[in-house]
Amino acid sequence: MGLKILTEHINVPGIETLEVYRKHGGYKSVEKAVKTMTPEEVVEEVKTSGLRGRGGAGFPTGMKWSFLAKPEGVPRYLVCNADESEPGTFKDRWFMERNPHALIEGMITSSYALGANTSYIYIRGELMFILRILEKAIAEAYAAGLLGKNILGSGYDLDLHVAPGGGAYICGEETALLESLEGKRGNPRNKPPFPAVKGLFASPTVVNNVETIASVPWIVNNTGAEYAKVGIGRSTGTKLISASGNINNPGVFEIELGVPVEEFIYSDEYCGGIWKGKQLKAVVPGGSSVPILPANLILKTTAGEGRLMSYESLSDGGFVSGSMMGSGAFIVFDEDQCIVRNTWNYSRFYHHESCGQCSPCREGTGWMEKVLHRIEYGHGHQQDIDLLVSVAKQIEGNTICPLGDAAAWPVAAAIRHFRDEFEWHIKYPKEATAPGAVYRGQLDSVTA
Amino acid sequence: MLTTEEKHQIEHEISLVPTRKAACIEALKIVQQNRGWISDSSLAEVAEFVDMSPAELDSVATFYNLIFRRPVGRHVILLCDSISCYVMGYETIRDHLYSTLGIKYGETTEDGRFTLLPNACLGTCDCAPALMIDNDLYRNLTVEQLEEILNKYT
Ligand SMILES: NC(=O)C1=CN([C@@H]2O[C@H](COP(=O)(O)OP(=O)(O)OC[C@H]3O[C@@H](n4cnc5c(N)ncnc54)[C@H](O)[C@@H]3O)[C@@H](O)[C@H]2O)C=CC1
Ligand SMILES: Cc1cc2nc3c(=O)[nH]c(=O)nc-3n(C[C@H](O)[C@H](O)[C@H](O)COP(=O)(O)O)c2cc1C
Ligand code: SF4
Ligand code: FES
């Protein structure tokens, strides 16, 4: 059993109430920070911890905080990104549902560090039941003097609001999120300027993921140096992994970064192996926007080393033979999964969710969806595979926000690793479209 | 005309943000909660109240999946069609809904009871397949349970 920084008390009955949460050491970091530390000292601890953004990009949190501009007389904001909508990702929802006070404690301590007096939790609009859980917990925190004016007699004031989105995946992108909070369409802005310089209502703003913020109290209580001892290399600390797909124990697991992928998939402590005794075919290790890896490459890097659950190891091999940690959404496919069909599924998603501002993304995602659809339904042409590769290339790097890349990478990776499966669909449309048909690599034994 | 209660709720949302406009999505949701959907006249009323033109507010309204600019049934079913549900039996659930309700995506049953819409990942992929009716989430769906779930909504 690894160290549990985020989930130690998650199964305690009543932990969602202030009383039980405090009994288990809750809100200690607020007390410690506002009464005994300067904001700069809190930022310094987070820097030392090596904590990296858990929303997907893995940007060092302490560094982002220290980039926050501090012009005189201008408010600063902390915005928690609880928009979680990447297919396969559900750790933030899971965490907030069970332990809302842990996020609120993180928001208070982090807001104090950043000098924010108003903070927001932007939650996806589909999750109204989580919004109610958070609002109830926030009301308890106000009543206990942990929010509002003069928190715990320290002279520090903070108001915390929960704002629900309107149902748009793109609003998880931080600048689209800020537009949405301002009451606009969620069109991403060009970066730079980063939100740390010009964010919500043009004020300096830090946007952080739920899990990032929830990690801060432990760091403040135990020091950044202690946090940095957990994990491996530049992947410090623990990470919540959302595991789903064809496995025996789907769910959220807190791992110390550095657990071998093989152990994560097969050990009963985590995924418990592939369901129904089937074989592993492929894994999408970081949410639908990261490259898919076939079984051999998810378990071992091309150098033959066992792959680990860490930022560095999962991306070992770059886009040729590696993938990314992303938001930690580990989606497992068994031998009966069709790669073409699943790739078409995310393609359709990205096409639908493109905000339409950049033509390579708007047109390219639609084009990829169409071509994948025709391959899957038995109307593909041999040139279609190269066409997909070329469309993906034209999107990559040519857009305002990374949604374009997120749409292109999975298609490019699926073709890179499963080209024969695409070819089989095109060559043998009748077999490929038969109910329940799956390509098993026996190209030769199939007769046209 | 916005009702007094609607105005009151919207004013509360406005008090939380620096400009009236910044509360417009919340305002639309409040009105939708009452009226089921946002008609052109509802849109115009909200626009005036938050200091926007109807065209400007409409461009915001149409951006968001959860703001309905067309009439919907008394209950809206959002069925997750994203990857984890997809690999865990989504299609069986969809087909069963199609046949028991006699409608397809985007349609409303004749009695006005249900509208069926596809939705991206509902954030409960460990309990796939999943759907949401109004604000209630249903997980680990099987065809057998569907009838019982639907019966809760009249
Ligand atoms: N959790 C989820 O549901 C989803 C997560 N993602 C993840 O999002 C990632 C992309 O996110 P982005 O925000 O576009 O990545 P990014 O690399 O542009 O930024 C990451 C964070 O660091 C900050 N930052 C970077 N450079 C900075 C600088 N010089 N000064 C100040 N701040 C700076 C940004 O403001 C941002 O908060 C992808 O890697 C993907 O894994 C994507 C889709 C959904
Ligand atoms: C299309 C898109 C969707 C995103 N969705 C989310 C999201 O749902 N939750 C999240 O925390 N970050 C999401 N991100 C990443 C944010 O832009 C940003 O990097 C993150 O909130 C910063 O927080 P962190 O540093 O704590 O990770 C998304 C990025 C993109 C490009
Ligand atoms: S890449 Fe796509 S989603 Fe991002 S800003 Fe451009 S069009 Fe919008
Ligand atoms: S894929 Fe259906 S809930 Fe996530």
Side-chain angles (χ1 to χ4, degrees):
Chain A
M1 282 281 283
L3 178 67
K4 301 291 180 228
I5 286 177
L6 293 155
T7 59
E8 187 185 353
H9 303 300
I10 203 125
N11 291 321
V12 172
I15 197 72
E16 72 284 357
T17 64
L18 182 70
E19 191 191 343
V20 176
Y21 183 69
R22 283 196 114 167
K23 237 183 236 153
H24 287 83
Y27 289 104
K28 253 189 355 212
S29 77
V30 173
E31 209 145 310
K32 182 169 175 186
V34 301
K35 290 190 177 159
T36 70
M37 296 169 81
T38 63
E40 294 73 27
E41 282 167 347
V42 180
V43 173
E44 214 39 55
E45 288 301 332
V46 173
K47 258 190 178 167
T48 310
S49 73
L51 173 66
R52 292 164 69 178
R54 301 299 194 223
F59 194 83
T61 305
M63 197 187 294
K64 179 151 84 183
W65 288 14
S66 64
F67 287 161
L68 184 67
K70 297 188 171 142
E72 244 347 274
V74 178
R76 299 190 280 278
Y77 296 104
L78 171 64
V79 176
C80 173
N81 189 342
D83 192 55
E84 183 168 69
S85 354
E86 173 104 329
T89 315
F90 48 95
K91 60 172 180 91
D92 297 339
R93 187 272 305 155
W94 178 90
F95 187 80
M96 293 184 288
E97 186 173 2
R98 287 165 176 73
N99 202 352
H101 280 289
L103 174 61
I104 296 163
E105 174 174 2
M107 285 301 286
I108 303 170
T109 305
S110 306
S111 299
Y112 173 74
L114 299 168
N117 299 109
T118 307
S119 296
Y120 295 92
I121 299 174
Y122 182 92
I123 187 163
R124 65 180 291 206
E126 284 88 344
L127 299 182
M128 294 309 280
F129 68 110
I130 304 287
L131 177 127
R132 289 193 198 104
I133 293 174
L134 287 172
E135 282 187 334
K136 203 164 152 206
I138 288 173
E140 283 186 304
Y142 267 103
L146 289 157
L147 277 171
K149 293 253 174 288
N150 192 18
I151 292 173
L152 301 176
S154 65
Y156 172 61
D157 306 335
L158 175 66
D159 280 313
L160 177 59
H161 308 298
V162 191
Y169 165 73
I170 192 59
C171 291
E173 194 282 333
E174 57 179 8
T175 61
L177 186 160
L178 298 175
E179 290 285 301
S180 176
L181 262 182
E182 293 178 8
K184 303 182 198 147
R185 293 167 65 92
N187 287 348
R189 304 172 181 167
N190 273 304
K191 293 197 280 191
F194 286 95
V197 174
K198 193 169 174 220
L200 187 60
F201 303 112
S203 287
T205 303
V206 163
V207 181
N208 270 133
N209 176 256
V210 170
E211 184 187 348
T212 313
I213 290 171
S215 301
V216 170
W218 194 96
I219 293 169
V220 168
N221 290 334
N222 298 276
T223 75
E226 276 306 303
Y227 189 89
K229 287 183 194 161
V230 185
I232 181 164
R234 288 184 51 237
S235 296
T236 63
T238 63
K239 172 97 193 73
L240 297 178
I241 305 292
S242 321
S244 70
N246 309 131
I247 48 178
N248 283 319
N249 313 326
V252 175
F253 302 101
E254 180 173 13
I255 58 160
E256 284 190 29
L257 286 164
V259 170
V261 171
E262 188 163 1
E263 179 182 338
F264 186 72
I265 296 177
Y266 291 102
S267 134
D268 285 338
E269 197 181 326
Y270 305 116
C271 301
I274 312 305
W275 73 342
K276 302 180 182 169
K278 292 189 196 184
Q279 295 291 314
L280 172 66
K281 179 165 184 175
V283 173
V284 180
S288 63
S289 62
V290 311
I292 188 171
L293 288 179
N296 60 332
L297 282 177
I298 186 71
L299 297 173
K300 283 197 168 59
T301 66
T302 37
E305 285 162 14
R307 220 183 262 282
L308 309 178
M309 300 286 282
S310 74
Y311 290 94
E312 290 72 25
S313 185
L314 285 172
S315 60
D316 187 307
F319 282 173
V320 178
S321 61
S323 183
M324 279 156 71
M325 179 93 209
S327 58
F330 200 86
I331 312 168
V332 179
F333 295 158
D334 71 18
E335 56 188 301
D336 291 332
Q337 289 305 321
C338 171
I339 300 296
V340 176
R341 202 170 170 67
N342 291 352
T343 309
W344 167 60
N345 180 283
Y346 357 105
S347 229
R348 187 186 53 184
F349 169 78
Y350 287 110
H351 178 212
H352 184 258
E353 300 299 331
S354 165
C355 83
Q357 275 191 106
C358 331
S359 39
C361 171
R362 184 184 60 237
E363 304 301 326
T365 51
W367 204 357
M368 291 195 300
E369 183 198 346
K370 214 165 95 192
V371 175
L372 283 161
H373 185 267
R374 83 174 165 234
I375 299 178
E376 167 62 20
Y377 285 91
H379 310 293
H381 317 295
Q382 226 26 269
Q383 318 80 281
D384 279 348
I385 300 181
D386 291 329
L387 176 63
L388 283 171
V389 174
S390 119
V391 175
K393 265 217 191 87
Q394 287 168 49
I395 299 176
E396 218 183 307
N398 292 323
T399 57
I400 294 177
C401 91
L403 184 137
D405 297 342
W409 293 337
V411 175
I415 294 175
R416 186 176 313 116
H417 300 301
F418 297 95
R419 197 174 180 110
D420 350 346
E421 194 162 336
F422 286 84
E423 285 171 354
W424 178 73
H425 274 76
I426 294 167
K427 254 194 186 145
Y428 304 107
K430 254 211 332 259
E431 287 74 5
T433 50
V438 200
Y439 176 71
R440 292 177 197 280
Q442 310 98 326
L443 244 185
D444 295 338
S445 63
V446 181
T447 46
Chain B
M1 273 285 289
L2 295 175
T3 65
T4 319
E5 179 56 26
E6 284 169 341
K7 284 186 184 162
H8 180 76
Q9 286 179 21
I10 298 172
E11 281 298 350
H12 171 73
E13 293 301 328
I14 291 172
S15 74
L16 303 177
V17 284
T19 60
R20 294 183 77 81
K21 194 177 141 173
C24 72
I25 302 167
E26 276 312 291
L28 288 168
K29 285 205 199 152
I30 288 165
V31 172
Q32 178 167 293
Q33 182 74 31
N34 273 336
R35 310 181 185 182
W37 65 293
I38 303 291
S39 64
D40 289 346
S41 61
S42 300
L43 185 90
E45 291 159 26
V46 175
E48 193 189 340
F49 196 70
V50 298
D51 295 344
M52 289 168 85
S53 71
E56 191 185 4
L57 184 61
D58 197 26
S59 90
V60 175
T62 51
F63 187 84
Y64 294 99
N65 297 330
L66 297 176
I67 305 288
F68 306 129
R69 286 288 279 115
R70 283 194 295 168
V72 290
R74 292 191 291 284
H75 307 286
V76 176
I77 305 176
L78 302 175
L79 178 63
C80 171
D81 66 355
S82 288
I83 191 66
S84 303
C85 289
Y86 199 66
V87 306
M88 296 295 283
Y90 148 83
E91 283 166 318
T92 328
I93 304 291
R94 179 199 57 196
D95 293 347
H96 191 81
L97 285 171
Y98 278 5
S99 64
T100 41
L101 299 175
I103 51 172
K104 291 211 159 70
Y105 281 146
E107 297 175 351
T108 300
T109 52
E110 250 168 49
D111 57 3
R113 192 164 148 228
F114 291 113
T115 297
L116 180 64
L117 297 171
N119 202 86
C121 178
L122 291 168
T124 188
C125 333
D126 52 337
C127 305
L131 63 71
M132 200 170 235
I133 303 184
D134 301 338
N135 285 314
D136 310 324
L137 186 59
Y138 296 96
R139 326 181 192 199
N140 288 320
L141 290 174
T142 59
V143 166
E144 293 72 46
Q145 293 164 349
L146 277 179
E147 191 174 321
E148 197 186 314
I149 293 172
L150 294 177
N151 282 341
K152 291 195 206 165
Y153 299 86
T154 52

